[in-house]
CSV table of all heavy atoms in Angstrom, one decimal:
chain,number,residue,atom,x,y,z
A,1,ALA,N,69.7,159.4,176.0
A,1,ALA,CA,70.7,159.2,177.1
A,1,ALA,C,70.0,158.6,178.3
A,1,ALA,O,68.8,158.8,178.5
A,1,ALA,CB,71.4,160.5,177.5
A,2,ILE,N,70.8,158.0,179.1
A,2,ILE,CA,70.3,157.4,180.4
A,2,ILE,C,71.0,158.1,181.5
A,2,ILE,O,72.3,158.2,181.5
A,2,ILE,CB,70.5,155.9,180.5
A,2,ILE,CG1,69.8,155.2,179.3
A,2,ILE,CG2,70.0,155.4,181.8
A,2,ILE,CD1,70.2,153.7,179.2
A,3,PHE,N,70.3,158.6,182.5
A,3,PHE,CA,70.9,159.2,183.7
A,3,PHE,C,70.6,158.3,184.9
A,3,PHE,O,69.5,158.0,185.2
A,3,PHE,CB,70.3,160.6,184.0
A,3,PHE,CG,70.8,161.7,183.1
A,3,PHE,CD1,71.4,161.5,181.8
A,3,PHE,CD2,70.6,163.0,183.4
A,3,PHE,CE1,71.8,162.5,181.0
A,3,PHE,CE2,71.1,164.1,182.6
A,3,PHE,CZ,71.7,163.8,181.4
A,4,VAL,N,71.7,157.9,185.6
A,4,VAL,CA,71.5,157.0,186.8
A,4,VAL,C,72.0,157.7,188.0
A,4,VAL,O,73.2,158.0,188.2
A,4,VAL,CB,72.3,155.7,186.6
A,4,VAL,CG1,72.1,154.8,187.8
A,4,VAL,CG2,71.8,155.0,185.4
A,5,ASP,N,71.1,158.0,189.0
A,5,ASP,CA,71.5,158.5,190.3
A,5,ASP,C,71.8,157.3,191.1
A,5,ASP,O,70.9,156.5,191.6
A,5,ASP,CB,70.3,159.3,190.9
A,5,ASP,CG,70.6,159.8,192.3
A,5,ASP,OD1,71.5,159.3,192.9
A,5,ASP,OD2,69.8,160.7,192.7
A,6,ALA,N,73.1,157.0,191.4
A,6,ALA,CA,73.5,155.7,192.0
A,6,ALA,C,72.9,155.5,193.4
A,6,ALA,O,72.5,154.4,193.8
A,6,ALA,CB,75.0,155.6,192.0
A,7,ALA,N,72.9,156.6,194.2
A,7,ALA,CA,72.3,156.5,195.5
A,7,ALA,C,70.8,156.1,195.5
A,7,ALA,O,70.4,155.2,196.3
A,7,ALA,CB,72.5,157.8,196.3
A,8,PHE,N,70.1,156.6,194.6
A,8,PHE,CA,68.7,156.3,194.4
A,8,PHE,C,68.6,154.9,193.9
A,8,PHE,O,67.7,154.1,194.3
A,8,PHE,CB,68.0,157.3,193.4
A,8,PHE,CG,66.5,157.1,193.3
A,8,PHE,CD1,65.7,157.7,194.2
A,8,PHE,CD2,66.0,156.3,192.3
A,8,PHE,CE1,64.3,157.5,194.1
A,8,PHE,CE2,64.6,156.1,192.2
A,8,PHE,CZ,63.8,156.7,193.1
A,9,LEU,N,69.4,154.5,193.0
A,9,LEU,CA,69.4,153.1,192.5
A,9,LEU,C,69.6,152.1,193.6
A,9,LEU,O,68.8,151.1,193.7
A,9,LEU,CB,70.6,152.9,191.4
A,9,LEU,CG,70.8,151.5,191.0
A,9,LEU,CD1,69.7,151.0,190.1
A,9,LEU,CD2,72.2,151.4,190.2
A,10,TRP,N,70.7,152.3,194.4
A,10,TRP,CA,71.0,151.3,195.5
A,10,TRP,C,69.8,151.2,196.5
A,10,TRP,O,69.4,150.1,196.9
A,10,TRP,CB,72.2,151.7,196.2
A,10,TRP,CG,73.5,151.5,195.5
A,10,TRP,CD1,74.3,152.4,194.9
A,10,TRP,CD2,74.1,150.2,195.2
A,10,TRP,NE1,75.4,151.8,194.3
A,10,TRP,CE2,75.3,150.4,194.5
A,10,TRP,CE3,73.8,148.9,195.5
A,10,TRP,CZ2,76.1,149.4,194.1
A,10,TRP,CZ3,74.6,147.9,195.1
A,10,TRP,CH2,75.8,148.1,194.4
A,11,ALA,N,69.3,152.4,196.8
A,11,ALA,CA,68.2,152.4,197.8
A,11,ALA,C,66.9,151.7,197.3
A,11,ALA,O,66.3,150.9,198.0
A,11,ALA,CB,67.9,153.8,198.3
A,12,SER,N,66.5,152.0,196.1
A,12,SER,CA,65.3,151.5,195.6
A,12,SER,C,65.4,150.1,195.2
A,12,SER,O,64.5,149.3,195.5
A,12,SER,CB,64.8,152.4,194.4
A,12,SER,OG,65.8,152.4,193.4
A,13,VAL,N,66.5,149.7,194.5
A,13,VAL,CA,66.6,148.3,194.1
A,13,VAL,C,66.8,147.4,195.4
A,13,VAL,O,66.3,146.3,195.5
A,13,VAL,CB,67.7,148.1,193.1
A,13,VAL,CG1,68.0,146.6,192.8
A,13,VAL,CG2,67.4,148.8,191.8
A,14,GLY,N,67.6,147.9,196.3
A,14,GLY,CA,67.8,147.2,197.6
A,14,GLY,C,66.5,146.9,198.3
A,14,GLY,O,66.3,145.8,198.8
A,15,GLU,N,65.7,147.9,198.3
A,15,GLU,CA,64.4,147.8,199.0
A,15,GLU,C,63.5,146.7,198.2
A,15,GLU,O,62.9,145.9,198.8
A,15,GLU,CB,63.6,149.1,199.0
A,15,GLU,CG,62.2,149.0,199.6
A,15,GLU,CD,61.5,150.4,199.6
A,15,GLU,OE1,62.2,151.4,199.6
A,15,GLU,OE2,60.3,150.4,199.4
A,16,LEU,N,63.5,146.8,196.9
A,16,LEU,CA,62.7,145.9,196.1
A,16,LEU,C,63.1,144.5,196.3
A,16,LEU,O,62.3,143.6,196.5
A,16,LEU,CB,62.7,146.3,194.6
A,16,LEU,CG,62.0,145.4,193.7
A,16,LEU,CD1,60.5,145.4,193.9
A,16,LEU,CD2,62.4,145.7,192.2
A,17,LEU,N,64.4,144.2,196.2
A,17,LEU,CA,64.9,142.8,196.1
A,17,LEU,C,65.1,142.2,197.5
A,17,LEU,O,64.9,141.0,197.7
A,17,LEU,CB,66.2,142.8,195.3
A,17,LEU,CG,66.2,143.2,193.9
A,17,LEU,CD1,67.5,143.0,193.2
A,17,LEU,CD2,65.1,142.3,193.1
A,18,PHE,N,65.6,143.0,198.4
A,18,PHE,CA,66.1,142.5,199.7
A,18,PHE,C,65.5,143.2,200.9
A,18,PHE,O,65.9,142.8,202.1
A,18,PHE,CB,67.6,142.5,199.8
A,18,PHE,CG,68.3,141.9,198.6
A,18,PHE,CD1,69.0,142.8,197.7
A,18,PHE,CD2,68.2,140.6,198.3
A,18,PHE,CE1,69.6,142.2,196.5
A,18,PHE,CE2,68.8,140.1,197.2
A,18,PHE,CZ,69.5,140.9,196.3
A,19,GLY,N,64.7,144.2,200.7
A,19,GLY,CA,64.1,144.9,201.9
A,19,GLY,C,65.1,145.7,202.7
A,19,GLY,O,65.0,145.9,203.9
A,20,THR,N,66.2,146.2,202.0
A,20,THR,CA,67.2,146.9,202.7
A,20,THR,C,67.7,148.1,201.8
A,20,THR,O,67.6,148.0,200.6
A,20,THR,CB,68.4,146.1,203.0
A,20,THR,OG1,69.4,146.9,203.7
A,20,THR,CG2,69.0,145.4,201.8
A,21,ASN,N,68.1,149.2,202.4
A,21,ASN,CA,68.8,150.2,201.6
A,21,ASN,C,70.2,150.4,202.1
A,21,ASN,O,70.8,151.4,201.9
A,21,ASN,CB,68.0,151.6,201.8
A,21,ASN,CG,67.9,152.0,203.2
A,21,ASN,OD1,68.5,151.5,204.1
A,21,ASN,ND2,67.0,153.0,203.4
A,22,ASP,N,70.8,149.4,202.7
A,22,ASP,CA,72.2,149.3,203.2
A,22,ASP,C,73.0,149.0,202.0
A,22,ASP,O,73.2,147.8,201.6
A,22,ASP,CB,72.3,148.3,204.3
A,22,ASP,CG,73.8,148.2,204.8
A,22,ASP,OD1,74.6,149.0,204.3
A,22,ASP,OD2,74.1,147.3,205.6
A,23,ARG,N,73.6,150.0,201.4
A,23,ARG,CA,74.4,149.9,200.2
A,23,ARG,C,75.6,148.9,200.4
A,23,ARG,O,76.1,148.2,199.5
A,23,ARG,CB,74.9,151.2,199.7
A,23,ARG,CG,75.7,151.3,198.5
A,23,ARG,CD,75.9,152.7,198.1
A,23,ARG,NE,76.8,152.9,197.0
A,23,ARG,CZ,76.9,154.0,196.2
A,23,ARG,NH1,76.2,155.1,196.6
A,23,ARG,NH2,77.7,154.1,195.2
A,24,SER,N,76.2,149.0,201.7
A,24,SER,CA,77.4,148.2,201.9
A,24,SER,C,77.1,146.7,201.9
A,24,SER,O,78.0,145.9,201.8
A,24,SER,CB,78.0,148.5,203.3
A,24,SER,OG,77.2,148.0,204.3
A,25,ARG,N,75.9,146.3,201.9
A,25,ARG,CA,75.5,144.8,201.9
A,25,ARG,C,75.1,144.3,200.5
A,25,ARG,O,74.7,143.2,200.4
A,25,ARG,CB,74.4,144.5,202.9
A,25,ARG,CG,74.7,144.9,204.4
A,25,ARG,CD,76.1,144.4,204.8
A,25,ARG,NE,76.3,143.0,204.5
A,25,ARG,CZ,77.5,142.5,204.2
A,25,ARG,NH1,78.6,143.3,204.1
A,25,ARG,NH2,77.6,141.2,203.9
A,26,LEU,N,75.3,145.2,199.5
A,26,LEU,CA,74.9,144.8,198.2
A,26,LEU,C,76.1,144.8,197.3
A,26,LEU,O,76.9,145.7,197.4
A,26,LEU,CB,73.8,145.7,197.7
A,26,LEU,CG,72.5,145.9,198.5
A,26,LEU,CD1,71.6,146.9,197.9
A,26,LEU,CD2,71.8,144.5,198.7
A,27,ALA,N,76.1,143.9,196.3
A,27,ALA,CA,77.1,143.9,195.3
A,27,ALA,C,76.3,143.9,193.9
A,27,ALA,O,75.2,143.5,193.8
A,27,ALA,CB,77.9,142.6,195.4
A,28,CYS,N,77.0,144.5,192.9
A,28,CYS,CA,76.4,144.6,191.6
A,28,CYS,C,77.3,144.2,190.5
A,28,CYS,O,78.5,144.5,190.5
A,28,CYS,CB,76.0,146.1,191.4
A,28,CYS,SG,75.2,146.5,189.9
A,29,ASP,N,76.7,143.5,189.5
A,29,ASP,CA,77.3,143.3,188.2
A,29,ASP,C,77.0,144.5,187.3
A,29,ASP,O,76.0,144.5,186.6
A,29,ASP,CB,76.8,142.0,187.6
A,29,ASP,CG,77.2,141.8,186.2
A,29,ASP,OD1,78.2,142.4,185.7
A,29,ASP,OD2,76.5,141.0,185.5
A,30,TYR,N,77.9,145.5,187.3
A,30,TYR,CA,77.6,146.7,186.7
A,30,TYR,C,77.5,146.6,185.1
A,30,TYR,O,76.6,147.2,184.5
A,30,TYR,CB,78.7,147.8,187.0
A,30,TYR,CG,78.7,148.2,188.4
A,30,TYR,CD1,79.7,147.7,189.3
A,30,TYR,CD2,77.8,149.0,189.0
A,30,TYR,CE1,79.8,148.0,190.6
A,30,TYR,CE2,77.8,149.4,190.3
A,30,TYR,CZ,78.8,148.9,191.1
A,30,TYR,OH,78.8,149.2,192.4
A,31,ASP,N,78.3,145.8,184.6
A,31,ASP,CA,78.3,145.6,183.1
A,31,ASP,C,76.9,145.0,182.7
A,31,ASP,O,76.3,145.5,181.8
A,31,ASP,CB,79.4,144.6,182.7
A,31,ASP,CG,79.5,144.4,181.2
A,31,ASP,OD1,79.2,145.4,180.5
A,31,ASP,OD2,79.9,143.3,180.8
A,32,GLY,N,76.5,143.9,183.4
A,32,GLY,CA,75.2,143.3,183.1
A,32,GLY,C,74.1,144.3,183.3
A,32,GLY,O,73.1,144.3,182.6
A,33,LEU,N,74.1,145.0,184.4
A,33,LEU,CA,73.1,146.0,184.8
A,33,LEU,C,72.9,147.1,183.7
A,33,LEU,O,71.8,147.3,183.2
A,33,LEU,CB,73.4,146.6,186.1
A,33,LEU,CG,72.4,147.7,186.5
A,33,LEU,CD1,71.0,147.2,186.7
A,33,LEU,CD2,72.9,148.4,187.8
A,34,VAL,N,74.1,147.7,183.3
A,34,VAL,CA,74.0,148.7,182.3
A,34,VAL,C,73.4,148.2,181.0
A,34,VAL,O,72.6,148.8,180.3
A,34,VAL,CB,75.4,149.4,182.1
A,34,VAL,CG1,75.4,150.3,180.9
A,34,VAL,CG2,75.8,150.1,183.4
A,35,ARG,N,73.9,147.0,180.6
A,35,ARG,CA,73.4,146.4,179.3
A,35,ARG,C,71.9,146.2,179.4
A,35,ARG,O,71.2,146.4,178.4
A,35,ARG,CB,74.1,145.1,179.0
A,35,ARG,CG,75.5,145.4,178.5
A,35,ARG,CD,76.2,144.2,177.9
A,35,ARG,NE,76.8,143.3,179.0
A,35,ARG,CZ,76.3,142.2,179.4
A,35,ARG,NH1,75.2,141.7,178.8
A,35,ARG,NH2,76.9,141.5,180.3
A,36,ALA,N,71.4,145.7,180.6
A,36,ALA,CA,70.0,145.5,180.7
A,36,ALA,C,69.2,146.8,180.6
A,36,ALA,O,68.1,146.8,180.0
A,36,ALA,CB,69.7,144.8,182.1
A,37,MET,N,69.7,147.8,181.2
A,37,MET,CA,69.0,149.1,181.2
A,37,MET,C,69.0,149.7,179.8
A,37,MET,O,68.0,150.2,179.3
A,37,MET,CB,69.6,150.1,182.2
A,37,MET,CG,69.4,149.8,183.6
A,37,MET,SD,69.7,151.1,184.7
A,37,MET,CE,71.5,151.3,184.5
A,38,VAL,N,70.1,149.5,179.1
A,38,VAL,CA,70.2,150.0,177.7
A,38,VAL,C,69.2,149.2,176.8
A,38,VAL,O,68.5,149.8,175.9
A,38,VAL,CB,71.6,149.8,177.2
A,38,VAL,CG1,71.7,150.1,175.6
A,38,VAL,CG2,72.6,150.8,177.9
A,39,GLU,N,69.1,147.9,177.0
A,39,GLU,CA,68.2,147.1,176.2
A,39,GLU,C,66.8,147.5,176.5
A,39,GLU,O,66.0,147.7,175.5
A,39,GLU,CB,68.4,145.6,176.5
A,39,GLU,CG,67.5,144.7,175.7
A,39,GLU,CD,67.8,143.2,176.0
A,39,GLU,OE1,68.8,142.9,176.7
A,39,GLU,OE2,66.9,142.4,175.6
A,40,ALA,N,66.4,147.7,177.7
A,40,ALA,CA,65.0,148.1,178.1
A,40,ALA,C,64.7,149.5,177.6
A,40,ALA,O,63.6,149.6,177.0
A,40,ALA,CB,64.8,148.0,179.6
A,41,THR,N,65.5,150.4,177.7
A,41,THR,CA,65.2,151.8,177.3
A,41,THR,C,65.3,151.9,175.7
A,41,THR,O,64.5,152.6,175.1
A,41,THR,CB,66.2,152.8,177.9
A,41,THR,OG1,67.5,152.4,177.7
A,41,THR,CG2,65.9,152.9,179.4
A,42,GLY,N,66.2,151.2,175.1
A,42,GLY,CA,66.4,151.2,173.7
A,42,GLY,C,65.1,150.7,173.0
A,42,GLY,O,64.7,151.3,172.0
């Protein structure tokens, strides 16, 4: 199984990609993201 803490996801990925943890300024393709995580973990 995969467990995703969304608040941690937004803060860490926002920092990595854009240098921000402001969740309101980020948008996500959830379908593509989940499939990418499933592929990597699988």
Side-chain angles (χ1 to χ4, degrees):
I2 303 171
F3 284 19
V4 178
D5 179 345
F8 187 86
L9 170 72
W10 286 108
S12 55
V13 174
E15 177 183 330
L16 174 68
L17 297 182
F18 309 111
T20 179
N21 57 15
D22 177 7
R23 179 171 176 168
S24 73
R25 300 314 311 146
L26 303 177
C28 180
D29 167 21
Y30 295 106
D31 184 34
L33 174 64
V34 170
R35 284 189 281 107
M37 290 194 296
V38 170
E39 182 178 347
T41 53

